Amino acid sequence: MGRMSRRTSRPRPQQGSAPAPRPGCPCGRAETYQECCDRFHRGEAAAPTAEALMRSRYAAFVRRDEAYLLRTWHPRMRPARVDFDPGMRWTGLEILGTADGSAFHATGTVTFRASYRGGSLHERSRFERVDGAWVYVDGDFLG
């Protein structure tokens, strides 16, 4: 078992109290969401690399930001809508590898493990630039 599948017990908040805020952005960076992925989600900036787009898309799944996910999907692959599983609770993102995907490339791949309560998703995603902006094309699920 990988370290992403281990469960840790967390203290439960008392009845009526708000859960303690998690430090950092949902994408795994130390910066707050407002300092990290929020600017991409609001359209104030474009993700500069394929990895940054992957991270911002993960954060969009966590936040259920359908508009951002659709906007950053390759036009020829984009679904009509994103069907979020109401029971899905994303718990972490681990970037396992990248190939190309910088400001000097037209394509790139990001291999990652996205954990959720009860399991994880391991994928190698493909990204391309369309009109200068990185977009998600598709991915292969890995064992």
Side-chain angles (χ1 to χ4, degrees):
M1 295 259 151
R3 67 185 170 99
M4 297 302 291
S5 63
R6 291 187 189 153
R7 293 185 178 194
T8 59
S9 64
R10 295 182 188 168
R12 294 184 176 261
Q14 293 179 353
Q15 186 74 351
S17 67
R22 290 189 325 190
C25 185
C27 80
R29 297 275 187 211
E31 297 91 354
T32 66
Y33 170 72
Q34 288 73 23
E35 297 167 328
C36 192
C37 291
D38 186 41
R39 61 198 162 119
F40 303 138
H41 294 172
R42 287 193 320 254
E44 294 176 2
T49 65
E51 180 182 341
L53 182 65
M54 173 60 235
R55 287 180 176 281
S56 68
R57 285 178 57 82
Y58 172 82
F61 271 103
V62 170
R63 299 179 64 84
R64 300 176 193 266
D65 185 342
E66 180 180 37
Y68 181 75
L69 292 167
L70 293 174
R71 188 169 69 243
T72 58
W73 221 306
H74 195 290
R76 80 171 181 265
M77 305 299 285
R78 183 182 302 136
R81 56 175 284 147
V82 178
D83 292 319
F84 295 105
D85 179 345
M88 179 69 75
R89 296 292 176 255
W90 296 103
T91 59
L93 176 67
E94 181 181 11
I95 302 297
L96 303 173
T98 62
D100 299 333
S102 78
F104 303 105
H105 299 107
T107 63
T109 62
V110 178
T111 304
F112 67 92
R113 181 174 293 115
S115 298
Y116 55 88
R117 267 192 213 145
S120 66
L121 169 94
H122 187 191
E123 182 179 311
R124 181 175 300 113
S125 294
R126 284 178 284 284
F127 298 88
E128 290 181 13
R129 284 186 182 271
V130 172
D131 297 327
W134 285 107
V135 292
Y136 170 76
V137 177
D138 61 14
D140 296 320
F141 292 111
L142 306 172

